[in-house]
Amino acid sequence: TTGGAGAWSCIQNFGGCSGCGICTPDGQTAFIAPYTLDANNPSIMYAGSKWVYKNPSAPTGATWTQISPDLVGTAYDNIVNIHSAPNGGVAGTLWATTLNGKVWVTTDNAANWTDTTRTPLPSNPVLPNRAATWVTTQPGDGTRAIVVFSGWNGSGSQPGHVFRTLDRGATWTDISGALPDEPVFTVTVDPN
């Protein structure tokens, strides 16, 4: 709260952890847990394990509330990225991606979550899925998103690394184009 000049406060009190120490929230969090500030209210912070948590007073408080269902559905995967959509200044749209390739969205302040994972997004029922590593949205419209995936296409039937939706994940289009068959970890949208 002092720009780094004063004492630091630990706010990692979620997922069964209290204080900063050796604790993996929910026993199922990425090595570096995803945290993000709300795009429309920087006092709100989100964090992820297999659930999304919300801290409504992050600058001074350490109280977290679970705001999503289990988004991974396994005992070993985790949330990789949480994106709070600027959405033209209208709050309430969050996207989350997971290690096992799922892409979730809520547009009503986390009251309802929708699993948008469907063809042509990479999915393999036999081998581990490719991770959905990042999601971002058009600044003025949180229902228009781009998601990227790690891994390689190999001989899988659903290749691609960069996908776009214009309808909140109801349909996806592979926009990988001529990009090489390499893992993609981040993406951004030109604000113009």
PDB file of all heavy atoms in Angstrom, residues 145-163:
ATOM      1  N   ALA A 145     -13.254 -12.710 -27.780  1.00  0.00           N
ATOM      2  CA  ALA A 145     -12.032 -13.138 -27.097  1.00  0.00           C
ATOM      3  C   ALA A 145     -11.102 -13.906 -28.031  1.00  0.00           C
ATOM      4  O   ALA A 145     -11.530 -14.452 -29.047  1.00  0.00           O
ATOM      5  CB  ALA A 145     -12.395 -14.025 -25.911  1.00  0.00           C
ATOM      6  N   ILE A 146      -9.840 -13.933 -27.644  1.00  0.00           N
ATOM      7  CA  ILE A 146      -8.830 -14.758 -28.313  1.00  0.00           C
ATOM      8  C   ILE A 146      -8.197 -15.611 -27.233  1.00  0.00           C
ATOM      9  O   ILE A 146      -7.820 -15.116 -26.164  1.00  0.00           O
ATOM     10  CB  ILE A 146      -7.764 -13.902 -29.018  1.00  0.00           C
ATOM     11  CG1 ILE A 146      -8.413 -13.075 -30.135  1.00  0.00           C
ATOM     12  CG2 ILE A 146      -6.657 -14.786 -29.587  1.00  0.00           C
ATOM     13  CD1 ILE A 146      -7.463 -12.118 -30.821  1.00  0.00           C
ATOM     14  N   VAL A 147      -8.074 -16.910 -27.508  1.00  0.00           N
ATOM     15  CA  VAL A 147      -7.440 -17.839 -26.582  1.00  0.00           C
ATOM     16  C   VAL A 147      -6.302 -18.553 -27.307  1.00  0.00           C
ATOM     17  O   VAL A 147      -6.388 -18.783 -28.525  1.00  0.00           O
ATOM     18  CB  VAL A 147      -8.465 -18.852 -26.004  1.00  0.00           C
ATOM     19  CG1 VAL A 147      -9.024 -19.754 -27.086  1.00  0.00           C
ATOM     20  CG2 VAL A 147      -7.864 -19.668 -24.879  1.00  0.00           C
ATOM     21  N   VAL A 148      -5.219 -18.830 -26.580  1.00  0.00           N
ATOM     22  CA  VAL A 148      -4.071 -19.518 -27.178  1.00  0.00           C
ATOM     23  C   VAL A 148      -3.752 -20.788 -26.403  1.00  0.00           C
ATOM     24  O   VAL A 148      -4.079 -20.903 -25.216  1.00  0.00           O
ATOM     25  CB  VAL A 148      -2.828 -18.592 -27.263  1.00  0.00           C
ATOM     26  CG1 VAL A 148      -3.094 -17.418 -28.186  1.00  0.00           C
ATOM     27  CG2 VAL A 148      -2.400 -18.093 -25.895  1.00  0.00           C
ATOM     28  N   PHE A 149      -3.108 -21.726 -27.117  1.00  0.00           N
ATOM     29  CA  PHE A 149      -2.818 -23.049 -26.559  1.00  0.00           C
ATOM     30  C   PHE A 149      -1.348 -23.390 -26.685  1.00  0.00           C
ATOM     31  O   PHE A 149      -0.676 -23.009 -27.641  1.00  0.00           O
ATOM     32  CB  PHE A 149      -3.635 -24.121 -27.301  1.00  0.00           C
ATOM     33  CG  PHE A 149      -5.081 -24.121 -26.917  1.00  0.00           C
ATOM     34  CD1 PHE A 149      -5.952 -23.185 -27.443  1.00  0.00           C
ATOM     35  CD2 PHE A 149      -5.571 -25.041 -26.009  1.00  0.00           C
ATOM     36  CE1 PHE A 149      -7.291 -23.163 -27.076  1.00  0.00           C
ATOM     37  CE2 PHE A 149      -6.905 -25.035 -25.635  1.00  0.00           C
ATOM     38  CZ  PHE A 149      -7.768 -24.090 -26.176  1.00  0.00           C
ATOM     39  N   SER A 150      -0.865 -24.171 -25.719  1.00  0.00           N
ATOM     40  CA  SER A 150       0.498 -24.680 -25.753  1.00  0.00           C
ATOM     41  C   SER A 150       0.514 -25.974 -26.555  1.00  0.00           C
ATOM     42  O   SER A 150      -0.465 -26.347 -27.192  1.00  0.00           O
ATOM     43  CB  SER A 150       0.998 -24.940 -24.328  1.00  0.00           C
ATOM     44  OG  SER A 150       0.230 -25.991 -23.747  1.00  0.00           O
ATOM     45  N   GLY A 151       1.631 -26.693 -26.489  1.00  0.00           N
ATOM     46  CA  GLY A 151       1.755 -27.986 -27.155  1.00  0.00           C
ATOM     47  C   GLY A 151       1.997 -27.868 -28.648  1.00  0.00           C
ATOM     48  O   GLY A 151       2.204 -26.778 -29.182  1.00  0.00           O
ATOM     49  N   TRP A 152       1.992 -29.025 -29.295  1.00  0.00           N
ATOM     50  CA  TRP A 152       2.195 -29.100 -30.742  1.00  0.00           C
ATOM     51  C   TRP A 152       1.020 -29.837 -31.354  1.00  0.00           C
ATOM     52  O   TRP A 152       0.361 -30.640 -30.698  1.00  0.00           O
ATOM     53  CB  TRP A 152       3.501 -29.827 -31.059  1.00  0.00           C
ATOM     54  CG  TRP A 152       4.695 -28.995 -30.744  1.00  0.00           C
ATOM     55  CD1 TRP A 152       5.339 -28.155 -31.594  1.00  0.00           C
ATOM     56  CD2 TRP A 152       5.379 -28.893 -29.488  1.00  0.00           C
ATOM     57  NE1 TRP A 152       6.374 -27.525 -30.942  1.00  0.00           N
ATOM     58  CE2 TRP A 152       6.428 -27.970 -29.639  1.00  0.00           C
ATOM     59  CE3 TRP A 152       5.209 -29.491 -28.235  1.00  0.00           C
ATOM     60  CZ2 TRP A 152       7.299 -27.636 -28.621  1.00  0.00           C
ATOM     61  CZ3 TRP A 152       6.081 -29.150 -27.223  1.00  0.00           C
ATOM     62  CH2 TRP A 152       7.111 -28.231 -27.420  1.00  0.00           C
ATOM     63  N   ASN A 153       0.768 -29.581 -32.613  1.00  0.00           N
ATOM     64  CA  ASN A 153      -0.358 -30.214 -33.289  1.00  0.00           C
ATOM     65  C   ASN A 153      -0.178 -31.723 -33.414  1.00  0.00           C
ATOM     66  O   ASN A 153      -1.120 -32.480 -33.278  1.00  0.00           O
ATOM     67  CB  ASN A 153      -0.554 -29.608 -34.681  1.00  0.00           C
ATOM     68  CG  ASN A 153      -0.965 -28.147 -34.615  1.00  0.00           C
ATOM     69  OD1 ASN A 153      -1.530 -27.698 -33.633  1.00  0.00           O
ATOM     70  ND2 ASN A 153      -0.663 -27.415 -35.667  1.00  0.00           N
ATOM     71  N   GLY A 154       1.057 -32.159 -33.713  1.00  0.00           N
ATOM     72  CA  GLY A 154       1.317 -33.591 -33.869  1.00  0.00           C
ATOM     73  C   GLY A 154       0.385 -34.187 -34.911  1.00  0.00           C
ATOM     74  O   GLY A 154       0.101 -33.595 -35.935  1.00  0.00           O
ATOM     75  N   SER A 155      -0.126 -35.343 -34.600  1.00  0.00           N
ATOM     76  CA  SER A 155      -1.050 -35.988 -35.540  1.00  0.00           C
ATOM     77  C   SER A 155      -2.496 -35.843 -35.068  1.00  0.00           C
ATOM     78  O   SER A 155      -3.374 -36.558 -35.535  1.00  0.00           O
ATOM     79  CB  SER A 155      -0.684 -37.470 -35.680  1.00  0.00           C
ATOM     80  OG  SER A 155      -0.784 -38.100 -34.405  1.00  0.00           O
ATOM     81  N   GLY A 156      -2.730 -34.942 -34.139  1.00  0.00           N
ATOM     82  CA  GLY A 156      -4.074 -34.741 -33.606  1.00  0.00           C
ATOM     83  C   GLY A 156      -5.057 -34.252 -34.660  1.00  0.00           C
ATOM     84  O   GLY A 156      -4.673 -33.678 -35.674  1.00  0.00           O
ATOM     85  N   SER A 157      -6.321 -34.479 -34.405  1.00  0.00           N
ATOM     86  CA  SER A 157      -7.340 -34.084 -35.369  1.00  0.00           C
ATOM     87  C   SER A 157      -7.804 -32.643 -35.170  1.00  0.00           C
ATOM     88  O   SER A 157      -8.599 -32.153 -35.956  1.00  0.00           O
ATOM     89  CB  SER A 157      -8.545 -35.032 -35.266  1.00  0.00           C
ATOM     90  OG  SER A 157      -9.112 -34.940 -33.972  1.00  0.00           O
ATOM     91  N   GLN A 158      -7.327 -31.981 -34.135  1.00  0.00           N
ATOM     92  CA  GLN A 158      -7.738 -30.599 -33.884  1.00  0.00           C
ATOM     93  C   GLN A 158      -6.517 -29.711 -33.695  1.00  0.00           C
ATOM     94  O   GLN A 158      -6.155 -29.361 -32.587  1.00  0.00           O
ATOM     95  CB  GLN A 158      -8.651 -30.541 -32.662  1.00  0.00           C
ATOM     96  CG  GLN A 158      -9.967 -31.263 -32.918  1.00  0.00           C
ATOM     97  CD  GLN A 158     -10.808 -31.349 -31.677  1.00  0.00           C
ATOM     98  OE1 GLN A 158     -10.383 -31.900 -30.670  1.00  0.00           O
ATOM     99  NE2 GLN A 158     -12.001 -30.821 -31.752  1.00  0.00           N
ATOM    100  N   PRO A 159      -5.857 -29.364 -34.813  1.00  0.00           N
ATOM    101  CA  PRO A 159      -4.652 -28.531 -34.714  1.00  0.00           C
ATOM    102  C   PRO A 159      -4.997 -27.070 -34.460  1.00  0.00           C
ATOM    103  O   PRO A 159      -6.159 -26.676 -34.477  1.00  0.00           O
ATOM    104  CB  PRO A 159      -4.007 -28.713 -36.082  1.00  0.00           C
ATOM    105  CG  PRO A 159      -5.167 -28.950 -36.999  1.00  0.00           C
ATOM    106  CD  PRO A 159      -6.176 -29.725 -36.173  1.00  0.00           C
ATOM    107  N   GLY A 160      -3.971 -26.279 -34.268  1.00  0.00           N
ATOM    108  CA  GLY A 160      -4.125 -24.842 -34.093  1.00  0.00           C
ATOM    109  C   GLY A 160      -3.640 -24.382 -32.737  1.00  0.00           C
ATOM    110  O   GLY A 160      -3.550 -25.163 -31.794  1.00  0.00           O
ATOM    111  N   HIS A 161      -3.296 -23.106 -32.672  1.00  0.00           N
ATOM    112  CA  HIS A 161      -2.778 -22.525 -31.439  1.00  0.00           C
ATOM    113  C   HIS A 161      -3.486 -21.233 -31.038  1.00  0.00           C
ATOM    114  O   HIS A 161      -3.460 -20.858 -29.881  1.00  0.00           O
ATOM    115  CB  HIS A 161      -1.279 -22.259 -31.560  1.00  0.00           C
ATOM    116  CG  HIS A 161      -0.465 -23.502 -31.671  1.00  0.00           C
ATOM    117  ND1 HIS A 161      -0.109 -24.264 -30.580  1.00  0.00           N
ATOM    118  CD2 HIS A 161       0.033 -24.152 -32.741  1.00  0.00           C
ATOM    119  CE1 HIS A 161       0.585 -25.308 -30.974  1.00  0.00           C
ATOM    120  NE2 HIS A 161       0.687 -25.265 -32.285  1.00  0.00           N
ATOM    121  N   VAL A 162      -4.097 -20.526 -31.991  1.00  0.00           N
ATOM    122  CA  VAL A 162      -4.739 -19.240 -31.719  1.00  0.00           C
ATOM    123  C   VAL A 162      -6.178 -19.306 -32.238  1.00  0.00           C
ATOM    124  O   VAL A 162      -6.413 -19.588 -33.415  1.00  0.00           O
ATOM    125  CB  VAL A 162      -3.984 -18.072 -32.407  1.00  0.00           C
ATOM    126  CG1 VAL A 162      -4.597 -16.735 -32.019  1.00  0.00           C
ATOM    127  CG2 VAL A 162      -2.497 -18.103 -32.049  1.00  0.00           C
ATOM    128  N   PHE A 163      -7.143 -19.040 -31.347  1.00  0.00           N
ATOM    129  CA  PHE A 163      -8.558 -19.154 -31.695  1.00  0.00           C
ATOM    130  C   PHE A 163      -9.305 -17.898 -31.255  1.00  0.00           C
ATOM    131  O   PHE A 163      -8.981 -17.303 -30.232  1.00  0.00           O
ATOM    132  CB  PHE A 163      -9.171 -20.379 -31.013  1.00  0.00           C
ATOM    133  CG  PHE A 163      -8.528 -21.670 -31.450  1.00  0.00           C
ATOM    134  CD1 PHE A 163      -7.371 -22.132 -30.829  1.00  0.00           C
ATOM    135  CD2 PHE A 163      -9.067 -22.407 -32.492  1.00  0.00           C
ATOM    136  CE1 PHE A 163      -6.768 -23.303 -31.240  1.00  0.00           C
ATOM    137  CE2 PHE A 163      -8.475 -23.584 -32.909  1.00  0.00           C
ATOM    138  CZ  PHE A 163      -7.316 -24.040 -32.286  1.00  0.00           C
TER     139      PHE A 163
END
